[in-house]
Amino acid sequence: MHKGAIDREAVLKTLDEYDRMGREAFLAAYGYGEARSYLLVHEGKEYDSKAVAGVAHRHVHGRALKPDEFSGGRDHAARWLRDLGFQVKSVRNPDWARDELILACALVAKNDWRGLDAGDLRVVELSRLLQLMPVHAQAERNETFRNPNGVARKTFDIATRHPDYRGRPTNGGALDRVVLQDFLDRPAEMENSARLLREGIASGELTATAPVSDDEMDDYSAPEGRLLLRKHVARERNRGLRKRKIDAVLKQGGTLACEACGFDFERQYGERGAGYIECHHVVPLHEAGEGRTKLADLALICANCHRMIHRQAPWPTPKQLREVIEARR
């Protein structure tokens, strides 16, 4: 039986059975617990999405899936049901992303590393800003997503993890401590990241486009937050800038060899590799800020070195990566 091979009719039959039996009896009959992450919403009623998806298999394949045969999340049940056109909502809100924590931490820092109450106008303003950020899909959010109460709690999670705090810390996530430490180690850089995030969200520049897929971004570290990293990578892919950089190097008698390891695509692959090289923006957005890109800000590097630069923060320059390579040799 192919997991996920269900159709809309099978789901509707399952919903009818769910309604007839009632929630407790339905779940007990098929061995499912109550949904912890996602609910299916149909005609104003809510259903346990994993149980519905699993039982729907019975109408197509002759038996229901057992709870331990699949997950109820985005990889299985929730995705199957959404693909069939059903509304699936999140029971709980997603964990805070680095971008969001950068903004929250910047607010706590400006408040002398003290938490803020939900009624504070700065918390209300940050709540509205976070709700505009395209970090989490709408389907992953519930009605309390980043509301002032949640934002206020997060400011206390951060404040009570500060080294000068002498009380008992609140329950926060591991990433809270990481971002807090980044602010303590590199305050100017992190405050600049927060400023760029705020400006980009307020202007719509960081909310209107998503030029790099999330799957592709998985290999990249994000010292400046995921949204600014997307923009940074998009700048590197600007075909006009790349062409101008290549033309400038060739005009000066140079070759299209990687500035870090010396790899030359044409030398290795002949005509197929002629004119090919990747372009790297040497200074990250959180350090350079906004402004006009100069050709001197760009470096020509091979795909391998490009990945290695972005793989872990802080990002080395091509020169620094070359020194690592030469030391290994």
Side-chain angles (χ1 to χ4, degrees):
M1 174 171 52
H2 177 57
K3 290 188 293 186
I6 55 178
D7 55 36
R8 190 174 178 86
E9 182 180 356
V11 174
L12 293 174
K13 288 180 179 178
T14 302
L15 296 181
D16 288 339
E17 181 181 1
Y18 189 113
D19 289 336
R20 290 195 308 272
M21 297 177 66
R23 184 186 194 191
E24 290 185 8
F26 180 86
L27 295 177
Y30 292 101
Y32 282 87
E34 295 182 358
R36 291 179 294 178
S37 300
Y38 296 94
L39 291 172
L40 185 154
V41 181
H42 183 66
E43 295 183 347
K45 291 183 288 187
E46 296 179 348
Y47 302 84
D48 299 85
S49 56
K50 181 177 181 179
V52 169
V55 175
H57 273 254
R58 186 169 67 88
H59 298 291
V60 178
H61 304 286
R63 77 166 180 89
L65 287 177
K66 297 177 181 178
D68 61 359
E69 291 185 279
F70 69 115
S71 75
R74 288 175 291 178
D75 291 336
H76 292 147
R79 176 169 58 83
W80 301 340
L81 293 169
R82 285 180 182 141
D83 288 347
L84 293 173
F86 290 99
Q87 179 187 352
V88 180
K89 76 171 189 177
S90 177
V91 173
R92 60 185 180 87
N93 285 312
D95 293 337
W96 283 62
R98 181 177 175 85
D99 303 67
E100 298 172 298
L101 288 172
I102 288 173
L103 293 177
C105 206
L107 178 56
V108 177
K110 288 181 181 177
N111 198 44
D112 296 324
W113 295 109
R114 299 193 305 268
L116 295 89
D117 295 327
D120 192 301
L121 292 180
R122 293 169 294 177
V123 169
V124 174
E125 186 270 340
L126 179 56
S127 170
R128 292 171 180 163
L129 197 67
L130 294 172
Q131 290 169 7
L132 293 174
M133 293 177 71
V135 174
H136 305 289
Q138 291 296 326
E140 304 301 318
R141 312 177 182 194
N142 66 29
E143 60 275 4
T144 65
F145 178 79
R146 304 302 183 254
N147 66 8
N149 286 332
V151 174
R153 282 196 300 271
K154 183 53 65 180
T155 68
F156 280 94
D157 290 340
I158 294 168
T160 60
R161 292 289 179 178
H162 192 278
D164 293 338
Y165 184 75
R166 293 294 174 259
R168 184 175 180 178
T170 60
N171 293 325
L175 191 56
D176 299 353
R177 296 190 290 274
V178 172
V179 175
L180 168 61
Q181 192 61 50
D182 286 342
F183 267 84
L184 297 178
D185 293 341
R186 309 189 304 277
E189 175 184 314
M190 299 305 295
E191 288 169 8
N192 197 38
S193 288
R195 179 184 63 80
L196 290 169
L197 283 168
R198 278 184 165 275
E199 292 175 355
I201 298 164
S203 68
E205 189 174 10
L206 293 180
T207 60
T209 59
V212 185
S213 72
D214 284 343
D215 289 341
E216 191 174 0
M217 296 281 283
D218 286 344
D219 289 339
Y220 286 2
S221 66
E224 52 191 359
R226 201 165 181 81
L227 294 181
L228 292 181
L229 177 58
R230 282 185 196 169
K231 184 175 179 182
H232 179 100
V233 174
R235 290 168 76 187
E236 293 183 341
R237 295 183 177 177
N238 184 316
R239 292 184 178 181
L241 279 176
R242 176 178 171 276
K243 184 177 184 304
R244 281 163 45 204
K245 177 67 176 181
I246 288 175
D247 289 346
V249 169
L250 293 177
K251 186 175 182 180
Q252 293 171 7
T255 61
L256 302 186
C258 175
E259 295 181 27
C261 72
F263 185 86
D264 187 315
F265 284 90
E266 184 173 11
R267 186 185 307 158
Q268 182 69 26
Y269 300 110
E271 185 177 349
R272 178 178 288 274
Y276 182 78
I277 192 79
E278 294 193 3
C279 194
H280 170 61
H281 205 110
V282 177
V283 185
L285 277 171
H286 67 269
E287 295 179 12
E290 290 297 338
R292 188 177 182 84
T293 299
K294 299 183 290 236
L295 294 185
D297 297 332
L298 304 174
L300 299 181
I301 56 178
C302 70
N304 282 347
C305 288
H306 203 176
R307 284 283 177 174
M308 290 299 101
I309 286 174
H310 281 298
R311 190 163 185 257
Q312 185 176 342
W315 297 338
T317 64
K319 180 181 177 182
Q320 291 169 331
L321 188 62
R322 182 170 69 248
E323 291 171 353
V324 171
I325 294 170
E326 290 174 350
R328 296 283 297 174
R329 289 172 178 167

